[in-house]
Amino acid sequence: MTRFNLYAAAATILAASVFTASCKKDAQQANRPVSATQIVPANGATLSGILGTGKTIRDTIHLTGGTYLLSGLVYIDTLDVIQIDAGSVIKGIPGTPGVNPGGGLVVSRGGKIEAVGTATSPIVFTTNSASPAAGQTAGIIILGRATTNNGDTSKVEGIGGIPPLTPYYGGSVDTDNSGKLKYVRIEYAGFELATDNEINGLTLAGVGSGTEIDFVEVYKAADDGIEFFGGTVDAKHLVVVNPLDDGLDFDNGYRGRIQYALVVEDSTRADKSASNGIESDNNKFGQPLLPVTKPLIANLTIIGLPNQALATKTTFAPSGTGKYGVAAQWRRSSRFEVYNSVFLGFNNGILLDNTVPTGGTAADQTTQQRYSDGTSIIKNNMVHAFNLAFTSSPAYAGTKPYPDGVDNNTSYIGADPNASLKLVNPFNRGIAGFYMPRTGAPTVASPALTGGLTTGLPAGLTGTTYRGAFDGTNNWASGWTVFAY
């Protein structure tokens, strides 16, 4: 059977040699040789199904900077690589809401994506529709072999029916390498298969630390911006704009490091489940399964809503029952470390949540306890809220103060989220660098320019003198991102 779909336009196939092996579906990934076959789809080609020539051939599918269409979920098989050059535009053909997702890319366990754009020539995944809207594409789904607390036979969310390749993730290789995303923008992605079973803008499931995620934007997703299901992948220079649900979502034993990230919420939409800047669970029942979810975060800026009326509204589109939650919800036995970050524009800021989920038990919920015993850490952050900057459910009763004065967190309560934080203009996207801290005389400059923790962060995170994603000078999000509503 031929495992490569011929394109609407002719493809060029350069067969340097044929590599044959008795390989199983998920066998052999580390230190793979160069592919035996290179496939170069023509500019304008439509890609569908499984790309490549079969499981015994190591294929490289090379998109060379043109425009390409994705019809439905398009799979990169085990052993294969999709190489995407700077300036490539990959357009998903819209699907049918609730029935089938729009065009998107699925990188299977053992496959790789090498998508390397530049600040002036990013790679863009977007919709083929003349009327772009959230949920018209399926974004990028990467399935890796790193450990999760779901084992290695978990099916990734949002893929229904009987797919042509197994949609499973996880394994035992925490250094697993699924490739590289650099200067990549993902637009209008997302698909709801069922409640709490959705495709996000970028889905990283069991992805290992050998994978590089750097300078990636998710714009106007129909679910979470980026969701991490277990794994150990690190990520830097992330931008999430207008997610319907959570900006960043951590589940099932994710233990990577995230530094320099910006989340900008949508004041016109919110999810029926309550949209948070961050949502983090160990698993859906809050059980103490290993490995435990514990993201390590530094230099994050999350911009919520401009006023309390929007932050407490309960009738947001598209459901008519959409609402915002909190800046960061740590729940269901999740652990965490957060340093040098800025949160503003939510009714409540940081939430330590021991609420018992449906199917869970009170004894299993340990988020508050792990903060109290010092396992989870919140240091040198700035948190604005309209109501409470630091809150808990039920009432916090730990021995360590929450927040603790020695941790140098600063709370701001008030009707104007930016009155004390002094970002450039966080709710006016027409101003370049609206998310940056103001510079200038002491009466003008943002307090975020100072007060950062410079030493004592976990290995792999860099201490900074400033707080938030930006230092006031280096606007690393400029040029390759979009911020429009």
Side-chain angles (χ1 to χ4, degrees), residues 158-376:
I159 298 180
I162 303 175
L165 285 178
T166 55
Y168 300 117
Y169 65 92
S172 59
V173 186
D174 279 343
T175 57
D176 190 41
N177 183 354
S178 295
K180 181 184 297 185
L181 298 180
K182 191 165 187 178
Y183 288 109
V184 173
R185 187 167 76 240
I186 303 165
E187 301 177 346
Y188 306 111
F191 172 73
E192 184 178 49
L193 180 65
T195 300
D196 297 327
N197 190 354
E198 303 103 345
I199 291 174
N200 309 285
L202 172 61
T203 300
L204 301 171
V207 177
S209 61
T211 308
E212 184 178 344
I213 308 292
D214 198 7
F215 296 100
V216 173
E217 179 184 21
V218 175
Y219 173 74
K220 217 172 182 68
D223 190 50
D224 299 325
I226 305 174
E227 186 158 10
F228 300 78
F229 294 92
T232 54
V233 64
D234 299 329
K236 296 188 297 182
H237 301 104
L238 302 178
V239 178
V240 176
V241 177
N242 297 349
L244 177 62
D245 196 6
D246 309 312
L248 302 173
D249 196 337
F250 308 110
D251 306 283
N252 300 121
Y254 172 70
R255 295 148 355 264
R257 296 165 292 200
I258 294 174
Q259 188 158 22
Y260 316 117
L262 171 67
V263 176
V264 183
E265 301 290 0
D266 190 339
S267 63
T268 69
R269 304 183 308 146
D271 194 51
K272 57 184 180 286
S273 68
S275 302
N276 303 300
I278 291 173
E279 183 177 278
S280 187
D281 308 339
N282 194 43
N283 72 346
K284 67 179 181 178
F285 301 122
Q287 297 163 310
L289 302 179
L290 299 177
V292 175
T293 300
K294 189 181 181 183
L296 307 176
I297 298 172
N299 298 98
L300 168 67
T301 297
I302 296 184
I303 299 173
L305 291 308
N307 56 64
Q308 190 172 26
L310 287 173
T312 56
K313 181 178 175 178
T314 59
T315 57
F316 274 107
S319 66
T321 59
K323 56 187 177 294
Y324 274 90
V326 298
Q329 183 182 29
W330 307 104
R331 66 177 189 175
R332 298 179 182 174
S333 299
S334 171
R335 304 172 187 178
F336 57 89
E337 296 185 34
V338 182
Y339 304 89
N340 297 347
S341 295
V342 174
F343 305 85
L344 70 155
F346 291 82
N347 200 47
N348 293 308
I350 310 300
L351 170 61
L352 300 185
D353 193 353
N354 270 15
T355 302
V356 180
T358 302
T361 66
D364 279 343
Q365 312 311 310
T366 60
T367 297
Q368 294 184 11
Q369 291 89 324
R370 297 295 79 79
Y371 169 80
S372 181
D373 68 17
T375 302
S376 293

Side-chain angles (χ1 to χ4, degrees), residues 92-108:
I93 298 172
T96 304
V99 179
N100 59 280
L105 194 64
V106 182
V107 180
S108 300

Side-chain angles (χ1 to χ4, degrees), residues 63-104:
L63 306 186
T64 56
T67 298
Y68 309 87
L69 301 180
L70 300 181
S71 178
L73 294 178
V74 179
Y75 291 80
I76 304 302
D77 203 350
T78 296
L79 300 183
D80 292 347
V81 179
I82 183 164
Q83 179 182 340
I84 307 175
D85 290 352
S88 296
V89 178
I90 299 97
K91 295 185 175 183
I93 298 172
T96 304
V99 179
N100 59 280

